Amino acid sequence: MNAIVAVDRNWAIGKDGDQFVYLSRDLHNFKTVTMGHPVILGRRTLATFPGGRPLKGRRNLVLSRDPDFRPEGAEVFRDLDSLLAAAPEDAFVIGGGSVYEALLPHCDTVYVTKLQGEWPADTWFPRLDRLPGWALTSTSAPMEEKGVRFTFDVYRREAGQ
Ligand SMILES: NC(=O)c1ccc[n+]([C@@H]2O[C@H](COP(=O)([O-])OP(=O)(O)OC[C@H]3O[C@@H](n4cnc5c(N)ncnc54)[C@H](OP(=O)(O)O)[C@@H]3O)[C@@H](O)[C@H]2O)c1
């Protein structure tokens, strides 16, 4: 399983139910990387999408404990075990904080957009740069948009971890 996330310098990922900044190159990269693969997300992250609608061209596997939550075009799972039984190996975990934390142990590769800035935050991704068993395996040339510098980095689980 994989994950994809945009983090700031402190590995913060959002505040008040939203992201800090939307960058077109990052959105394009997200689409390119995840297209054709199932995506796994929490109910709150689905709510941040336009109209609260699932992503097109991908199976949307959404976690929610609410028995009345039945969004059109998504598959809803009430717990991690049923989700894990249904999620293929090529799936991408796309947030938010609670889902990243719960599913990171099942991920081998994490695509990290690293934003060179710091924002007030209430949600974080586990710090892969300090987590034993993870290594930074690639980083892109720096880019800049809306005054924010960023890179596309890839972290992989080290062999035997
Ligand atoms: N920077 C990025 O790349 C990025 C990406 C995605 C999201 N985000 C940000 O992350 C924040 C949202 O993260 P979050 O942690 O608050 O919410 P979240 O993980 O998106 O969704 C949380 C909800 O998912 C459901 N859920 C989570 N674990 C579950 C489990 N084990 N079993 C059943 N249901 C489960 C619950 O839904 P119910 O309440 O319905 O039971 C829970 O309230 C926002 O600020 C968002 O913008 C950032």
Side-chain angles (χ1 to χ4, degrees):
M1 204 176 270
N2 314 282
I4 183 163
V5 65
V7 305
D8 81 353
R9 260 194 209 121
N10 303 312
W11 292 74
I13 65 165
K15 182 165 172 20
D16 297 334
D18 210 351
Q19 300 195 31
F20 309 127
V21 61
Y22 288 89
L23 305 172
S24 64
R25 286 199 68 174
D26 185 41
L27 292 171
H28 182 261
N29 183 63
F30 175 88
K31 195 171 175 182
T32 304
V33 171
T34 61
M35 190 51 74
H37 300 282
V39 292
I40 298 171
L41 61 158
R43 196 253 317 151
R44 285 193 211 133
T45 291
L46 179 64
T48 69
F49 296 166
R53 284 189 300 275
L55 299 180
K56 292 184 183 138
R58 288 147 281 191
R59 270 179 78 192
N60 285 239
L61 282 56
V62 182
L63 273 164
S64 172
R65 296 183 183 90
D66 179 353
D68 297 325
F69 181 67
R70 292 191 187 86
E72 200 178 322
E75 301 163 52
V76 180
F77 296 86
R78 309 290 172 208
D79 57 66
L80 281 179
D81 286 345
S82 58
L83 173 97
L84 286 167
E89 188 51 34
D90 71 325
F92 277 82
V93 182
I94 64 165
S98 68
V99 177
Y100 285 135
E101 190 169 351
L103 291 179
L104 186 62
H106 300 275
C107 292
D108 297 316
T109 305
V110 183
Y111 296 81
V112 181
T113 301
K114 218 173 271 170
L115 308 169
Q116 296 306 315
E118 293 177 19
W119 285 263
D122 58 20
T123 315
W124 287 264
F125 194 91
R127 289 203 65 136
L128 296 181
D129 55 346
R130 294 181 185 166
L131 216 53
W134 287 90
L136 175 66
T137 55
S138 72
T139 186
S140 72
M143 292 160 275
E144 186 167 346
E145 202 180 309
K146 296 183 179 170
V148 180
R149 287 169 65 81
F150 59 99
T151 52
F152 295 141
D153 295 357
V154 179
Y155 285 80
R156 290 190 202 279
R157 192 180 287 284
E158 291 174 315
Q161 298 294 318

